[in-house]
Amino acid sequence: PAVEKQRWVLNDFDIGKPLGRGKFGHVYLAREKRSNHIVALKVLFKSQLKQSQVEHQIRREVEIQSHLRHPNILRLYGYFYDQKRVYLILEYAPKGELYKELQKCKYFSEKRAATYIASMARALIYCHGKHVIHRDIKPENLLIGAQGELKIADFGWAVHTFNRRKTMCGTLDYLPPEMVESVEHDASVDIWSLGILCYEFLYGFPPFEAKEHSDTYRRIVLVDLKFPPKPIVSSAAKDLISKMLVKDSSERLPLHKLLEHTWIVQNADPSGL
Ligand SMILES: Clc1cnc2c(Nc3ccc(N4CCOCC4)cc3)nc(-c3cccnc3)cn12
């Protein structure tokens, strides 16, 4: 559509209040002057991107997110840049950041948690169908839409998995580095992270949290999964989490099976908002 070909410039927007600070710059509320369309404008400083060598990551984020269309994935409408900055034109999420909501509530009810997890599963099924792995599912990357629905934002760590044949026929010798750089993991990394997210929604902290990184690392590789006595959580919820946090990635519950799990069927709001 025409909007895709649009060459945006900063002057096309009225800039509003800062919504918050990201790692490489600020996010502002903004209004596109011709359409009066409200958007979020993420401003990234080229100097900082260069310093942290993340230009390719931003380019990948734009490439991937601009092609995804799903109610639970934040839209990326376009981008532009000037001398010093890169600007991402993003869908505005009117109810802000999910992790602040989780901090406020401490933990979510089983109905709210299941509704969020079901919508995340549907968004990830959509991504995986397009050979996109998010790889960075966590509360900080989730925003809340106008009807309270979850929006996966920040595809900074997403990758496009080449639907490669398992064995590369012929020699690898002629493959460029980016082809040989194997996407060492597959889409099941997002199932694991969704299991962590489900646990954190229900208990208020992630399952393998520890003071030292080395302890967290050990608890993850051992899958040292414990369910505290409080808050009281149904055995159906614990059963689902136990089927997602499995060391062998091929044994993790597939996302479409998650949507048929008793806990989801009995607790998720079918509107999926
Ligand atoms: Cl991208 C993108 C799209 N929409 C948002 C958004 N939306 C948003 C809405 C509402 C409220 N408020 C609601 C009333 O209470 C005060 C906060 C905050 C953010 N925030 C961020 C963001 C990013 C970094 C830090 N902090 C917020 C990024 N966004």
Side-chain angles (χ1 to χ4, degrees):
V3 76
E4 301 287 325
K5 299 293 160 249
Q6 170 79 29
R7 281 271 159 278
W8 297 105
V9 290
L10 191 52
N11 194 37
D12 290 330
F13 301 90
D14 289 318
I15 307 300
K17 67 172 183 176
L19 291 169
R21 293 167 41 75
K23 201 157 155 232
F24 298 107
H26 290 70
V27 185
Y28 296 91
L29 191 57
R31 182 180 52 219
E32 200 278 316
K33 290 173 181 170
R34 268 190 292 279
S35 63
N36 276 338
H37 191 137
I38 296 291
V39 294
L41 206 58
K42 193 172 188 179
V43 183
L44 305 164
F45 286 92
K46 282 184 178 177
S47 56
Q48 285 184 19
L49 297 180
K50 216 175 288 306
Q51 214 168 357
S52 326
Q53 284 135 26
V54 292
E55 296 103 315
H56 72 283
Q57 211 172 302
I58 301 296
R59 255 193 284 279
R60 199 163 49 189
E61 174 180 355
V62 169
E63 179 55 32
I64 289 175
Q65 203 165 344
S66 57
H67 287 93
L68 297 177
R69 301 275 193 283
H70 188 278
N72 299 109
I73 295 175
L74 199 75
R75 278 295 311 279
L76 189 146
Y77 300 116
Y79 71 97
F80 56 97
Y81 45 85
D82 59 22
Q83 198 60 26
K84 290 196 306 226
R85 288 165 288 251
V86 176
Y87 303 85
L88 305 185
I89 309 166
L90 291 154
E91 174 188 355
Y92 172 55
K95 293 196 173 165
E97 297 177 280
L98 183 86
Y99 92 91
K100 285 198 179 139
E101 184 62 22
L102 183 53
Q103 275 175 344
K104 206 170 72 181
C105 309
K106 205 160 163 322
Y107 48 80
F108 294 143
S109 71
E110 298 211 27
K111 288 207 172 310
R112 183 169 185 182
T115 301
Y116 284 157
I117 294 299
S119 58
M120 292 286 295
R122 279 193 295 275
L124 290 172
I125 288 169
Y126 169 81
C127 289
H128 295 170
K130 288 177 167 282
H131 307 295
V132 170
I133 315 178
H134 188 276
R135 298 202 305 174
D136 198 15
I137 297 296
K138 56 187 177 186
E140 292 78 358
N141 288 342
L142 303 175
L143 293 167
I144 307 173
Q147 278 84 31
E149 76 278 21
L150 226 46
K151 300 261 179 187
I152 302 179
D154 203 337
F155 276 72
W157 284 99
V159 282
H160 222 143
T161 57
F162 307 100
N163 35 5
R164 296 173 306 150
R165 301 163 298 289
K166 278 284 162 264
T167 53
M168 291 293 220
C169 57
T171 171
L172 291 181
D173 295 310
Y174 301 99
L175 285 182
E178 67 274 13
M179 280 290 284
V180 171
E181 182 239 334
S182 72
V183 175
E184 60 286 350
H185 38 253
D186 60 15
S188 60
V189 298
D190 287 341
I191 300 173
W192 174 278
S193 306
L194 194 57
I196 302 289
L197 192 71
C198 187
Y199 184 105
E200 184 165 359
F201 282 172
L202 293 168
Y203 290 98
F205 52 84
F208 307 120
E209 200 171 54
K211 260 187 315 306
E212 302 298 326
H213 274 203
S214 53
D215 297 328
T216 304
Y217 176 85
R218 184 174 314 104
R219 295 196 62 201
I220 289 169
V221 295
L222 291 172
V223 192
D224 174 26
L225 179 60
K226 296 181 189 118
F227 296 108
K230 289 280 178 216
I232 296 178
V233 169
S234 68
S235 51
K238 293 177 196 169
D239 178 71
L240 175 59
I241 292 169
S242 309
K243 285 175 175 158
M244 299 172 82
L245 300 184
V246 174
K247 188 164 172 77
D248 178 349
S249 63
S250 64
E251 293 299 311
R252 290 171 199 159
L253 189 70
L255 291 172
H256 66 279
K257 288 266 186 244
L258 175 149
L259 292 175
E260 295 160 7
H261 189 279
T262 317
W263 184 66
I264 294 288
V265 171
Q266 286 175 352
N267 290 284
D269 176 335
S271 75
L273 290 182

